[in-house]
Amino acid sequence: ANANYYGGNNGQYYRYETPLCSGAYNYKDTCNRKCRNAAKKAGSSSKTSSSSRSWSGGDDEFSPFGKFFLWVLSLSGVFFLLAGLAQRKKMSKTDAVLEEAAIKSAGIDKKYLPRILVGVAVLIVLLILFRRKILTWFCLVGVNVSLLAYWIHLKNKADERAAVSGFQLYGESGTPA
């Protein structure tokens, strides 16, 4: 049998026996690297077979269903952004000043908001290009939910109350009626 050695952390080598390494060492003259090529083939075929079994159309690309929802979530994000900006223009001066103060208290200057939005959009595009599905879905859904919540917040602030089917949920002071 072939003696294989493992180098430890302290510079010493430890001897161990493995049947596969011993067999490969004993037949190295007659094998002509067929073992290595067979191992590479087996490794690459196991990757393709596992990705073809993936529920989302493989690890390489988005499925047609996924591509459809990429478009839907992207377009809805643009819609929520434009709706929020339109609603923001309708705000009263006092509400706009209060919101700008809240943004400043969070440590963000107003001139950096467009850069942050462009940065998030570029991040999502890069995630799509690098085919990171889970991160892409997480970011797209997170951005859509955030923009929708912001738009609803501005819309309710403009209406000064939330009414559902004629029933007023909140009074003038924001407490339940």
Side-chain angles (χ1 to χ4, degrees), residues 73-136:
L73 288 174
S74 299
L75 292 176
S76 66
V78 169
F79 168 76
F80 290 140
L81 178 65
L82 294 176
L85 289 175
Q87 197 66 38
R88 187 160 163 43
K89 286 182 181 178
K90 295 178 186 177
M91 285 174 57
S92 67
K93 294 284 185 190
T94 56
D95 287 340
V97 169
L98 285 174
E99 185 171 328
E100 287 176 18
I103 291 172
K104 279 200 177 208
S105 69
I108 302 172
D109 197 5
K110 190 177 176 185
K111 66 181 179 183
Y112 295 127
L113 286 178
R115 294 177 190 171
I116 292 170
L117 289 174
V118 169
V120 169
V122 167
L123 173 72
I124 291 173
V125 168
L126 287 176
L127 289 173
I128 291 170
L129 290 177
F130 289 123
R131 297 177 178 140
R132 300 292 178 218
K133 292 180 187 176
I134 294 173
L135 286 174
T136 302

Side-chain angles (χ1 to χ4, degrees), residues 2 4 11 19 22 25 59 70 73 124 158 175:
N2 177 30
N4 297 300
S22 297
Y25 182 78
D59 293 332
L70 281 176
L73 288 174
I124 291 173
T175 56

Side-chain angles (χ1 to χ4, degrees), residues 17 30 59 70 111 156 159:
E17 300 285 333
T30 59
D59 293 332
L70 281 176
K111 66 181 179 183
N156 286 339
D159 292 342

Side-chain angles (χ1 to χ4, degrees), residues 5-25:
Y5 292 94
Y6 166 71
N9 291 338
N10 56 4
Q12 295 178 339
Y13 288 93
Y14 303 101
R15 184 177 175 176
Y16 64 96
E17 300 285 333
T18 59
L20 180 63
C21 293
S22 297
Y25 182 78

Side-chain angles (χ1 to χ4, degrees), residues 40-74:
K40 282 185 181 178
K41 249 185 206 177
S44 66
S45 69
S46 69
K47 284 182 186 175
T48 57
S49 65
S50 67
S51 68
S52 65
R53 284 182 260 143
S54 176
W55 64 272
S56 59
D59 293 332
D60 292 344
E61 61 184 44
F62 287 92
S63 66
F65 186 70
K67 289 177 185 177
F68 170 75
F69 275 103
L70 281 176
W71 280 104
V72 168
L73 288 174
S74 299

